[in-house]
Amino acid sequence: MLETFSADSQRLPTDALTTASVQLGPVALGVMPLLTFASAVLVIVGLNQLFYRTSLGRAFRATSDDAVTASLMGIRPASIFATATGVALVIVTIAALYLGLRANFDPNIGPARLIYAFEAVIIGGLGSLWGTLVGGIIIGVAQTVGAAVNPEWQILSGHIAFLIVLLIRPRGLFPRAHD
């Protein structure tokens, strides 16, 4: 892959999509951030429907709680794990497309992006899809405000927001997992 694509920073071409905006009164909102947010909401709604309204979702939850007991109930854990991996890969592909359109990426960017995802999940609360979205928004807003104050503070601001939420609500804002 390095031989074919190189280790140079890349970005997917977007033409005018990343600079287009919609005027809502005195505020101009970027089209790309709106598309990203709308897609995130649609993915979360879809996952909620899948997890809580289908037999496949019931099988996902049962297998994640106790694979042995689920197998005694006729669920094939290997099949459920494979299906869950497929669903996860579809969601990761959607996220990667938006990341590739909005930001530069290279073969070594994974760990740097992973810390933000971890922080968003912890801020939102383990097991809460909507909480993860809120956590991502909090980190994004904190980084934007930090960058507006001083560009060197962008990443630090997100981490500080994470620590503040962790100090105030150690289980996150909307925890679903129980002890």
Side-chain angles (χ1 to χ4, degrees):
M1 299 266 309
L2 284 175
E3 205 48 49
T4 303
F5 298 105
S6 81
D8 297 336
S9 183
Q10 304 286 326
R11 187 179 196 144
L12 296 176
T14 59
D15 300 325
L17 187 59
T18 54
T19 58
S21 64
V22 176
Q23 197 71 30
L24 295 174
V27 177
L29 296 174
V31 170
M32 193 64 193
L34 287 174
L35 284 174
T36 304
F37 182 73
S39 295
V41 169
L42 286 174
V43 165
I44 291 173
V45 166
L47 283 175
N48 269 323
Q49 293 299 312
L50 175 69
F51 290 156
Y52 300 110
R53 304 257 190 251
T54 66
S55 59
L56 178 60
R58 216 172 7 262
F60 281 158
R61 294 191 320 267
T63 304
S64 73
D65 285 345
D66 188 348
V68 174
T69 304
S71 68
L72 293 173
M73 296 290 130
I75 296 171
R76 294 186 5 227
S79 174
I80 294 301
F81 290 141
T83 305
T85 300
V87 170
L89 288 175
V90 168
I91 294 167
V92 166
T93 300
I94 294 167
L97 285 172
Y98 279 110
L99 177 64
L101 291 171
R102 290 191 51 144
N104 291 344
F105 58 91
D106 61 62
N108 300 315
I109 199 67
R113 300 290 183 196
L114 187 60
I115 191 72
Y116 303 132
F118 170 78
E119 289 177 346
V121 168
I122 298 302
I123 287 173
L126 291 177
S128 172
L129 295 174
W130 292 107
T132 299
L133 179 64
V134 170
I137 291 169
I138 289 171
I139 290 174
V141 168
Q143 287 183 345
T144 301
V145 170
V149 173
N150 183 340
E152 295 175 352
W153 295 357
Q154 179 178 5
I155 294 172
L156 178 64
S157 299
H159 296 318
I160 289 173
F162 166 69
L163 290 174
I164 289 170
V165 171
L166 200 58
L167 285 171
I168 296 169
R169 301 280 307 258
R171 292 174 42 101
L173 299 175
F174 309 102
R176 299 241 354 216
H178 302 288
D179 295 332

